[in-house]
Amino acid sequence: SAVISQKPSRDICQRGTSLTIQCQVDSQVTMMFWYRQQPGQSLTLIATANQGSEATYESGFVIDKFPISRPNLTFSTLTVSNMSPEDSSIYLCSVEDRLGGYEQYFGPGTRLTVT
Amino acid sequence: LAKTTQPISMDSYEGQEVNITCSHNNIATNDYITWYQQFPSQGPRFIIQGYKTKVTNEVASLFIPADRKSSTLSLPRVSLSDTAVYYCLVGDPNDYKLSFGAGTTVTVRA
C-alpha cells in the first residue's frame, strides 16, 4: 500500500489569498486525485492529475481556481486561488492502487479555513 | 456512475455485528461494489470490494445477491474503534473516479 503525506495539515487564510497544498507519495504512481470534503459532507472529486499531462477537472471545478501541478510520479500540488469562505474544506489527495480496481489510498487531508 | 442509497446512521454496541445495506438499483454490468471507511480527521480507507456473491477479508464481509441491486457490508464484533463513516461506492474499476455518496455514520457504544 502507498503512504501519502500532505502539507500543510491545516491552515487559516485570509480571503483573496491563495494556498498551495502538497501531496507526497512514497512510491511512483501514475494517477493522483484531488478531492474536497466540505464540513459535514461527503467527498467530491476535483480533478485527476497524471504525470506529464494537464489535469482533468470535474464539472464545477476550473483550472483558474484550482491549478494543479504534477511534476513527477511521486508529487503533486493543488492551489486554491483567490479564496473565499466557501472554500473552507478539507482537501485530500489520493492515488490508485497499482493492481487496479477501485482501491485508492488517501492522504490525511488539509483542513483549510478561510476567514 | 450508479447512484447508491444507504442509511444515514446506525448505532450499535461493542461485540455486536453491524450490517449496512446499500441499494444500487441501476448498477451496470462492469460495476464493482466497494466500501470505504473514514475516521474523523482522516482520509477514507478501502475496506472491501466485490462483484457478486460473498467476499470476506480480515476486516469485513460483503454480501451481494444475484441481482446485484443491493449489497450488505457486515462488520463482525465491532469495537469502539469501528465508529466511523462507511461509504458504499459502485462503479467501473477502470474508471478510477470514485463517487462518494452521503455514507453511513456508525456509532459503537460501550
Side-chain angles (χ1 to χ4, degrees), chain A residues 1-18:
Chain A
S1 64
V3 177
I4 304 170
S5 60
Q6 289 185 230
K7 289 182 181 179
S9 58
R10 61 178 59 220
D11 206 342
I12 301 173
C13 302
Q14 299 287 328
R15 70 174 64 202
T17 63
S18 298

Side-chain angles (χ1 to χ4, degrees), chain B residues 7-101:
Chain B
I8 294 174
S9 63
M10 297 181 70
D11 288 345
S12 183
Y13 291 91
E14 285 188 294
Q16 290 187 335
E17 178 181 79
V18 173
N19 296 306
I20 309 171
T21 297
C22 178
S23 298
H24 28 82
N25 291 319
N26 59 340
I27 188 170
T29 302
N30 294 334
D31 288 346
Y32 278 66
I33 300 152
T34 309
W35 286 81
Y36 278 79
Q37 172 191 56
Q38 186 178 26
F39 297 115
S41 302
Q42 294 186 26
R45 181 176 75 106
F46 173 91
I47 300 177
I48 197 166
Q49 180 182 83
Y51 185 80
K52 61 181 179 180
T53 63
K54 176 184 175 181
V55 181
T56 298
N57 61 22
E58 65 278 5
V59 177
S61 295
L62 178 59
F63 299 91
I64 306 168
D67 66 5
R68 301 198 332 121
K69 294 184 181 298
S70 67
S71 59
T72 299
L73 175 73
S74 180
L75 306 172
R77 298 179 299 282
V78 295
S79 63
L80 296 175
S81 62
D82 292 315
T83 294
V85 179
Y86 293 83
Y87 296 99
C88 167
L89 289 78
V90 174
D92 186 339
N94 293 319
D95 191 13
Y96 285 104
K97 293 183 179 180
L98 301 184
S99 179
F100 286 84

Side-chain angles (χ1 to χ4, degrees), chain A residues 4-73:
Chain A
I4 304 170
S5 60
Q6 289 185 230
K7 289 182 181 179
S9 58
R10 61 178 59 220
D11 206 342
I12 301 173
C13 302
Q14 299 287 328
R15 70 174 64 202
T17 63
S18 298
L19 176 71
T20 295
I21 302 168
Q22 300 178 7
C23 179
Q24 180 75 52
V25 189
D26 69 341
S27 59
Q28 294 184 338
V29 294
T30 302
M31 303 176 74
M32 296 181 75
F33 308 89
W34 286 97
Y35 289 83
R36 181 176 73 182
Q37 187 169 28
Q38 296 179 301
Q41 302 296 314
S42 186
L43 287 81
T44 302
L45 180 64
I46 297 173
T48 303
N50 291 341
Q51 195 269 336
S53 63
E54 294 289 324
T56 303
Y57 290 82
E58 297 301 305
S59 176
F61 298 96
V62 295
I63 187 171
D64 290 345
K65 176 67 175 177
F66 298 100
I68 290 171
S69 77
R70 184 77 201 275
N72 57 52
L73 291 173

